[in-house]
Amino acid sequence: MLKGGLVSIEAAMGSLKPMERRAAQYILEHPEKVVSISVQKLAEFADVSEATIVRLSRSLHCKGFQELKLRIAGDLSKSSLPTESYQEFRTDGSIVDLIKSVTNNNIVSIQDTLTVLSPESVEKSINTLSSARKIGIFGIGASAVIAKDFNQKLTRINRWCEIGTGFDAQATIAANLIPGDVVFGISYSGQTEDMIRSLAVAKNNGASIITLTRFGSNPVSELADIQLFVSTLEKSIRSGAMSSRIAQLNVIDILYVGIAGRHYDESIKSLEKTRQAVKVGKRNG
């Protein structure tokens, strides 16, 4: 069952154009009504044009209004396990409350991300990364943590990777890429200027671009050949820096397992060889 319509709307609200935002707000306030009406009626009720509804659907990465309605209907079915909403952290709560709120936010972030993560884009990413001659993994600041994790995982299964966690390193890597190479750019905000500049260099050299960003329109994802998204419903920068990181790491794990599965026997041998090498190195150190 398709789901994620309401999550997608909330996540993309900040990047929508004014008329699209007006229609989106109406949908959030009247989801039960929207699933049973036509695009013409929705345009009338929201006081926007039919073209605006079509553009909104595309902004939400739906093929059209019908798919958006199906996703909203899936949300309303309540077929998934119930979870609480994102919770702001309190400084006067108990340790038990702290444990519950942080854990809840991480769980909600992963579950919401599943509704905006396209299986088709995941499959394309796995195929593209699996066949790449060289992989450049870019992340700056908090995103560098995610980039290092992905780099370590792919290196262990003998994928040729280079990691750039600042513009100079990223630009140097990008300048030496050729068609058949891939850059995996990680930017939660999708607004990182250095990332945009380095991805442009890689793209000009013919490398494929895969991005992992917050859901919605943003400059980083617009440079991508394949776009991967995580949920953006955190209510503050503090919680966003944590639960979104967990969601991004979950996407990285999905890609890693998929890539390893494409070269299963080779991956198992590489994992054992690297494990033994580290073990021997520690023994002799």
Side-chain angles (χ1 to χ4, degrees), residues 82-94:
T83 57
E84 298 179 42
S85 300
Y86 284 101
Q87 300 173 1
E88 284 301 312
F89 304 136
R90 295 172 52 191
T91 58
D92 58 348
S94 68

Side-chain angles (χ1 to χ4, degrees), residues 115-233:
T115 68
V116 299
L117 187 64
S118 162
E120 292 81 8
S121 294
V122 170
E123 183 174 19
K124 287 180 182 178
S125 297
I126 290 171
N127 291 338
T128 302
L129 290 164
S130 295
S131 61
R133 182 190 75 104
K134 181 193 290 187
I135 301 170
I137 305 177
F138 296 173
I140 296 173
S143 295
V145 176
I146 316 299
K148 290 175 182 177
D149 180 76
F150 199 22
N151 181 70
Q152 190 270 345
K153 283 180 165 66
L154 292 183
T155 301
R156 286 208 64 197
I157 57 173
N158 201 27
R159 299 290 99 191
W160 185 5
C161 297
E162 293 188 54
I163 184 171
T165 57
F167 175 71
D168 288 353
Q170 291 176 1
T172 301
I173 294 168
N176 289 310
L177 297 180
I178 61 175
D181 295 337
V182 180
V183 170
F184 191 92
I186 306 166
S187 172
Y188 175 69
S189 70
Q191 304 284 343
T192 310
E193 283 296 329
D194 286 347
M195 175 74 70
I196 295 167
R197 292 161 59 202
S198 58
L199 289 182
V201 173
K203 196 173 186 70
N204 287 338
N205 284 339
S208 298
I209 309 296
I210 303 172
T211 57
L212 177 61
T213 70
R214 63 176 178 80
F215 185 82
S217 176
N218 61 77
V220 168
S221 67
E222 287 171 3
L223 286 168
D225 300 294
I226 306 172
Q227 301 171 331
L228 300 173
F229 297 107
V230 295
S231 168
T232 60
L233 300 188

